Each structure stands twice: as C-alpha cells, then as structure tokens.
Amino acid sequence: MKRLAHAVLALAAAAAVALAPSAAYAGGIGGGGTKGNGKPPPPPNGNPHGGSKNGFISAGVQYDVTKNGKGADAGHMTPVSDWTPPACWYAPKYDSEGAARDFLGYDRSPNHTGMEDAQWIRDRYVNGHPYTNFNLAKQGKGYWWTAFQDENRLGDPGANDCTDPPFWADTGNPPHVKNAVTPEILAQLAYAQIRIPQGKSSTNPDGTFVVNAPTWVWMDRTTFHPVSVRAYVSVLGIEAITTATPVGLHIDPGTQDAALFPADGNCPIDAHGNIGTPYAKGDTGDPPCGVTYLRSTENIGPYQLKATVTWHISWTGTGQRRPVALPDGSFGTPQDAYVHEFQTVNR
C-alpha cells in the first residue's frame, strides 16, 4: 500500500505540470525512436526481443539507418501524392511496475489547470475505471502504450491526432487503435526516416548552356543507388524494412522557353541502372535525355533548373515477405542555369 500511495502522489505531482491544451501525451526518446549505431540489431523472428529495464521499454520504435543515404547532401524525400507518413503513433513504453512508479499525467480539457487531473488519474489507473493498481497483477504479460510524435513534424496537424491517454495491451494482443505500431505503420515511419543521396548528373556542355544548343544529361548507377531504413519494436518482435529505389529522372528547365528530351522531361532508368546516354564527341541531334534552352538569361537572371529523381518505395517485414508499394517519392535540388547567346557575323 505504501508503494501504491507513493505512485499516486507521483501521479498527482506530474499532473501539476501544465501541458499544452489538447496536446497528446508524447513520451519516448527522440520522438519515439533511436538511430542505429552501425551495428544492426538482431532481426526479429516473430518473438519479442529485449524487454524493459527499471520498468521502462528501451525505446518505442527504433531505426537501423546503416543502409540509408549518407552525407551532408542527403535529404528528405517528398511523396509525389498528398499522402504523408504518420506524424504521431502509439508504441509500448512501460511495463506495470514502471507505470506504477513513473506514469505521467494526461489532460484533454482545454481549461486545464493541473491538479484536477489527480482524481481522474486515480480513477483510471488505480481505482478500476478501467485499470486497477496500474495492472501490477499483469506484470510481464503486456505493456502500457503511449503516444509518440515525430520531433521533426511537431507543426504538422497530424502530430496532435494521437490523443488517447496511456492504455494497456496484453502481449500477443495488439491494440486496435489507429496508428498503433504494426509492421505497416513501422514501414511508414521508416519512410519518413529515409534520406536520399544527392546523385550528381553529368551534362554536356558541362555547366554551360547555349541558346538553341542541346545539353545532354545523364546519370550512371554509381551516382545513386537504392537506400533503406529498418524500423522495429524489439519487445513486440516486429519490424519493417522500407526501401527506396531510383526509377527515373525528371527535368524541369525553370522556363517555358525550352525544349525537353523526352518531351515530357521524364528520362527513364535503363536495365543497367543508368539514366540518359553519356555524350560522345561528334554526337549530333537530340539527346535521349536533356534540354535545349530557346532564350538567353541575359538581363533576366538565371533559370532554376531542377533535375528530380523519382524513387519507387516498397516495404517488407514481419508477416510480409513480398514487397508492398508505398507512394513514390522524389528528391532534387534546383540549380542556377545561365544561358548564353553567341552572335555570329554574316558577310
């Protein structure tokens, strides 16, 4: 009873901390995940791994990023549709004993002042409405789940969609709550963690654009390659690996005064993983992939030329061996394109 009384007092003290109105309970480490350290953890085989220490789960969702895009130029991928990965989700955080010691308060009312939460917490987690004594009788048989948020998307409207207070789920009986981690949700969270390497395109002429002269554009497979992120929850024994594979290059010349090759600006990737054809001395005619500017940039400033690589996204994971498609993504950065016009004299 002393232990229970201590827990209730701790809850009352926690409830006194003012939370933002209607904010979700966002526990966890770094938005609910930790990064890989270069040594991939053991792959889940359908059985739980790890466990809790001092009542806390090691982390809600963890990420292995050893096969992700590297370098300062690697960047976030943008879905080509309106779809976005979840900005909040639910994952295990406490076992019964951890909840009894350190369970934080939660408030959903817009007129929150703090201490009035104490009775609500006692009723919900101690007095049997619906939980009794923090489920200490179920120690080792399940976990308390809480809401987590993507720390890079706290301003997104979806970051506040996970408003359920901490709830219990027995081992082997996942909760039927929207955005509760499943392999599919893990795949979507891994999607948000993917960093695309900035592949360098080659051009001829190199860095120089001339009015009415075609510029050849190509990329070989050594400049960009598939990347992947693995998301997993060790205590649940579930995982998902989300892979991004380059499938083509889109050229946006930054002006309507240009001709594209192909005409839609979409340069496909060939069977060898290359885009376009490298220019060879003496090549004439239109390039398989490229652009011809029809007007110089003198007196108007540079065009914003953007070469965007489209990436096909798919995932595999626990219970899902065949790749399942997620919305394609794209990544590209604009560059200044100065177009010169050379005058000739006819005699």
Side-chain angles (χ1 to χ4, degrees):
M1 290 301 294
K2 288 183 179 180
R3 179 179 173 184
L4 177 58
H6 174 75
V8 173
L9 289 175
L11 285 174
V17 180
L19 299 176
S22 302
Y25 178 91
I29 302 172
T34 58
K35 305 297 183 182
N37 59 4
K39 296 181 180 180
N45 57 9
N47 297 316
H49 290 266
S52 59
K53 183 177 181 180
N54 297 325
F56 293 93
I57 311 307
S58 57
V61 176
Q62 296 174 280
Y63 302 99
D64 174 13
V65 295
T66 54
K67 296 182 180 180
N68 204 7
K70 303 295 193 301
D73 292 334
H76 288 274
M77 183 173 51
T78 301
V80 298
S81 66
D82 292 335
W83 176 88
T84 58
C88 72
W89 59 93
Y90 297 97
K93 177 161 179 153
Y94 299 98
D95 64 11
S96 298
E97 293 182 352
R101 282 197 303 272
D102 296 293
F103 223 173
L104 298 180
Y106 177 88
D107 175 70
R108 301 181 68 177
S109 67
N111 299 318
H112 164 67
T113 59
M115 288 305 296
E116 73 276 7
D117 283 345
Q119 184 59 49
W120 181 87
I121 293 169
R122 283 193 294 268
D123 286 343
R124 178 173 174 82
Y125 298 107
V126 179
N127 297 334
H129 305 287
Y131 307 110
T132 300
N133 197 7
F134 300 103
N135 270 4
L136 283 171
K138 288 192 171 185
Q139 174 66 17
K141 299 179 181 180
Y143 299 103
W144 290 100
W145 292 51
T146 66
F148 294 83
Q149 293 172 306
D150 185 336
E151 61 186 11
N152 297 314
R153 300 174 57 197
L154 297 180
D156 289 12
N160 294 319
D161 285 348
C162 301
T163 57
D164 287 356
F167 55 86
W168 177 267
D170 291 332
T171 301
N173 187 23
H176 298 289
V177 176
K178 182 181 179 181
N179 287 5
V181 288
T182 61
E184 183 177 6
I185 291 293
L186 288 177
Q188 296 174 18
L189 296 178
Y191 186 115
Q193 296 294 326
I194 285 179
R195 300 295 178 268
I196 297 300
Q198 179 64 68
K200 180 175 176 54
S201 60
S202 300
T203 63
N204 187 282
D206 185 11
T208 302
F209 301 92
V210 179
V211 171
N212 294 324
T215 296
W216 292 52
V217 178
W218 68 94
M219 298 179 73
D220 65 61
R221 58 189 176 189
T222 62
T223 63
F224 63 103
H225 50 79
V227 295
S228 65
V229 170
R230 174 174 169 248
Y232 60 99
V233 180
S234 294
V235 297
L236 299 180
I238 61 173
E239 70 171 6
I241 299 173
T242 300
T243 302
T245 304
V247 294
L249 175 73
H250 177 75
I251 299 175
D252 180 354
T255 176
Q256 294 182 347
D257 293 320
L260 294 172
F261 311 99
D264 60 3
N266 294 319
C267 303
I269 190 170
D270 65 22
H272 303 289
N274 305 313
I275 292 177
T277 302
Y279 175 83
K281 187 176 181 180
D283 281 341
T284 59
D286 297 332
C289 178
V291 58
T292 296
Y293 282 103
L294 309 177
R295 181 183 177 188
S296 77
T297 56
E298 294 180 12
N299 302 320
I300 63 173
Y303 300 128
Q304 291 298 298
L305 171 65
K306 188 173 184 179
T308 302
V309 177
T310 299
W311 298 75
H312 177 69
I313 316 300
S314 63
W315 72 276
T316 57
T318 304
Q320 184 61 57
R321 294 184 177 182
R322 294 184 178 181
V324 177
L326 288 170
D328 285 352
S330 64
F331 180 67
T333 55
Q335 66 183 68
D336 291 340
Y338 292 92
V339 183
H340 304 284
E341 184 171 12
F342 295 129
Q343 302 291 337
T344 60
V345 178
N346 297 320
R347 297 187 179 181

